[in-house]
Amino acid sequence: MRTHAMGEMTVKEIREYLKTNKTIIVPYGVVEQHGYHLPVSMDIHNAEVPAYVLAEKLDCIVAPPLNYCFSGGQLPGTINVRPTSFCAIMCDIVESLASQGFENILIYPGHGGSESLAQLKEALRILKWLNASLEKVMIMILRRGDHWVRPRDPRMSGADFHAGDAETSLMLAYRRELVQMENLEMDEPELAERMRHDQDAYQLCTTLSGQPQEIATTRQRPEIKVGVMGYPELATAERGRENVENAIAPMAEMIKKAIADADENRRTGKRIEVKSPVLVIEEGSDGIAVKA
C-alpha cells in the first residue's frame, strides 16, 4: 500500500483497497485553547498521530480527520460546534463510508470532551437502530485509556488533563516545530492547582432561581487566561513516543481480534447480545428518576 492516508489516495486506489480490506480509522479533534505553548490544533494532532500508528499496525487506512466538535473553552482561537451538529456530521460520514463497502469503522477521538463523546455514542447507536443496512457494520469508538493507563508521575500532585505533560510530550515527539516551550505559562497557582484536580473547574455554572430543575448558564471562568490543566513542564519527546506506543499496541491487538470475530459472525449470522445502554425513566413518589 502506497500510503495509509485515504485523503492522499485516488479513487482507483481506494477501490482496489476495498477488495481486500474493509477497515478504516476516522479521527476527530477540536480547535481549542491549549495554553501559550501548544497550538489550538493540538487535539487534531492528538487524533491523527495515534491513528496513523494504529493504521500501520492494522495495515489499514485513515480518513481525513473531522476537525471540529465541542470544546467548552472560550479563549481566543477556540471554535465550539454543538455536539448535536458534530454528531450529525459524524453519522453522515459513517453512513457514507458504509455505503462504499467499509465494514469496520474505527472512530478515534483526539479530544476528551465528555459532551461530544456521550452524544456521539448515543447518536451512532440510534443510527444503527434505524438504518438496517448498518447491521453488519462494526463501528467502534476507541479510547487510549480503555487498554492502557498512563503511570502517574510521582512529581504530580493532581491529574494531567489538558495541555499538560501527555499532550506536550506527544507534540514534542511528533510535531516538535509546533511547540513553544519558551512561552509556557500557567494560570494563577491556586486556579492551576484546582484544575489539576477537577477538569470541569474551568466552568462557571449559574441559575436565576437556584432550583435544580432550571437549566444552568455555563461559562468559562473569567479568571482563566491560559487554560492549562496539568504539568507541561515535565514533558519529554521520549515520554510522548512511549505513551503512544504503550496505548496503541494493546488496542491494535484487541481490534485485530474484534475484526476476525466480526468477519466470522457476519458469515455465520451469529450475534452477541449485550446490555442496552438505554436510560430508564421511572416515576417514583418523589418525582421522576433517571437510571442507567
Side-chain angles (χ1 to χ4, degrees):
M1 185 162 52
R2 181 178 63 85
T3 178
H4 291 287
M6 177 185 179
E8 298 175 3
M9 298 170 72
T10 66
V11 171
K12 182 178 180 180
E13 287 176 314
I14 296 170
R15 184 179 290 130
E16 289 300 311
Y17 172 83
L18 280 166
K19 290 180 180 178
T20 58
N21 196 329
K22 300 184 185 302
T23 299
I24 188 166
I25 303 170
V26 182
Y28 78 80
V30 72
V31 179
E32 70 166 350
Q33 60 202 50
H34 273 82
Y36 297 169
H37 67 292
L38 294 177
V40 294
S41 61
M42 172 66 233
D43 283 354
I44 298 170
H45 305 288
N46 208 20
E48 280 196 304
V49 168
Y52 278 101
V53 173
L54 179 61
E56 290 181 1
K57 295 182 183 300
L58 299 178
D59 196 26
C60 70
I61 61 176
V62 180
L66 177 57
N67 291 342
Y68 299 97
C69 66
F70 182 76
S71 162
Q74 295 178 308
L75 294 181
T78 300
I79 299 176
N80 281 294
V81 172
R82 290 178 177 83
T84 49
S85 302
F86 159 72
C87 291
I89 294 173
M90 187 60 80
C91 285
D92 286 348
I93 291 171
V94 166
E95 284 191 306
S96 180
L97 292 171
S99 71
Q100 297 172 37
F102 288 97
E103 294 181 346
N104 307 305
I105 301 175
L106 312 175
I107 299 173
Y108 195 98
H111 174 61
S114 58
E115 298 88 356
S116 291
L117 186 61
Q119 291 203 32
L120 178 59
K121 289 180 178 179
E122 188 66 358
L124 290 170
R125 189 178 73 90
I126 291 174
L127 178 69
K128 292 197 71 175
W129 194 340
L130 297 178
N131 188 339
S133 68
L134 296 177
E135 182 185 352
K136 294 184 179 181
V137 176
M138 183 176 70
I139 305 169
M140 284 188 168
I141 298 178
L142 306 173
R143 301 296 302 276
R144 275 180 289 178
D146 289 343
H147 301 280
W148 174 73
V149 177
R150 182 162 51 99
R152 175 132 175 207
D153 191 305
R155 293 170 291 178
M156 297 180 184
S157 61
D160 189 66
F161 290 121
H162 174 83
D165 167 41
E167 293 190 321
T168 306
S169 292
L170 181 142
M171 292 296 276
L172 287 173
Y174 296 96
R175 301 286 190 273
R176 178 64 184 84
E177 70 281 4
L178 298 178
V179 183
Q180 301 180 57
M181 292 301 287
E182 67 276 12
N183 292 329
L184 174 62
E185 289 189 34
M186 301 292 290
D187 283 295
E188 291 301 315
E190 185 277 332
L191 180 58
E193 186 63 17
R194 194 187 339 154
M195 290 193 293
R196 291 180 181 125
H197 293 271
D198 178 6
Q199 60 184 326
D200 292 328
Y202 77 96
Q203 298 179 17
L204 176 63
C205 299
T206 61
T207 62
L208 297 170
S209 69
Q211 297 300 321
Q213 292 85 355
E214 183 183 348
I215 303 299
T217 296
T218 305
R219 298 286 185 267
Q220 180 167 280
R221 292 186 178 277
E223 60 267 33
I224 293 176
K225 306 300 181 185
V226 182
V228 175
M229 305 178 188
Y231 302 84
E233 70 278 5
L234 302 180
T236 66
E238 181 182 10
R239 196 198 302 266
R241 286 186 289 269
E242 288 178 354
N243 287 349
V244 170
E245 180 60 30
N246 289 338
I248 297 304
M251 180 186 293
E253 293 307 307
M254 178 277 292
I255 293 170
K256 288 177 184 178
K257 182 179 186 306
I259 290 174
D261 290 344
D263 285 342
E264 174 65 14
N265 292 338
R266 289 186 189 106
R267 185 184 64 81
T268 63
K270 178 183 176 181
R271 295 295 181 269
I272 302 169
E273 186 172 348
V274 296
K275 182 179 179 181
S276 172
V278 168
L279 295 179
V280 178
I281 299 178
E282 298 177 348
E283 186 169 359
S285 59
D286 56 351
I288 295 176
V290 179
K291 298 181 180 180

